[in-house]
Amino acid sequence: MNFTEFLKNNWHEILVLTQEHLFITLLATGLAVSIGLPLGIFITRFKALQAPVLGFANVMQTVPSLALFGLLIPIPFIGGIGARTAVIALALYALLPVIRNTVTPATT
């Protein structure tokens, strides 16, 4: 079976999974912006909190994705394998760029 035959035979499933992927990505990005933007504005007002908040976001960025999923799966509300865990993990990864880009223009 070549690639074009695969696409022809599975186009519906590919479309459904692509829509699911886009929804999860948009939801995680929206969550990160809705948390990171106010948090970034808040820490520009309280300079003493910049180091701990940006430190936490840096740590979340450096944790490998498989390890982050391993840490999130046993947590009661978040736990399990599925879209909820993926949204939380992606939102944690997206926090650092949102917070840093909110804080940086305010300090220059």
Side-chain angles (χ1 to χ4, degrees):
M1 174 184 280
N2 63 23
F3 185 65
T4 55
E5 287 178 30
F6 175 80
L7 289 176
K8 192 164 89 172
N9 294 334
N10 299 301
W11 68 270
H12 187 274
E13 185 176 1
I14 292 170
L15 183 63
V16 168
L17 292 175
T18 301
Q19 289 173 338
E20 181 181 342
H21 177 80
L22 288 173
F23 176 74
I24 288 172
T25 304
L26 290 173
L27 186 62
T29 304
L31 182 64
V33 169
S34 66
I35 293 170
L37 192 61
L39 189 59
I41 292 169
F42 181 76
I43 65 174
T44 58
R45 308 273 193 273
F46 299 97
K47 304 280 187 203
L49 295 176
Q50 279 187 4
V53 170
L54 287 172
F56 172 77
N58 276 320
V59 168
M60 286 295 105
Q61 190 76 31
T62 59
V63 174
S65 59
L66 192 57
L68 185 59
F69 279 112
L71 292 172
L72 291 176
I73 287 172
I75 297 176
F77 173 69
I78 299 168
I81 298 173
R84 185 179 352 180
T85 307
V87 168
I88 299 297
L90 288 172
L92 286 172
Y93 278 124
L95 273 178
L96 178 63
V98 173
I99 295 171
R100 184 170 286 160
N101 285 317
T102 303
V103 171
T104 302
T107 58
T108 57

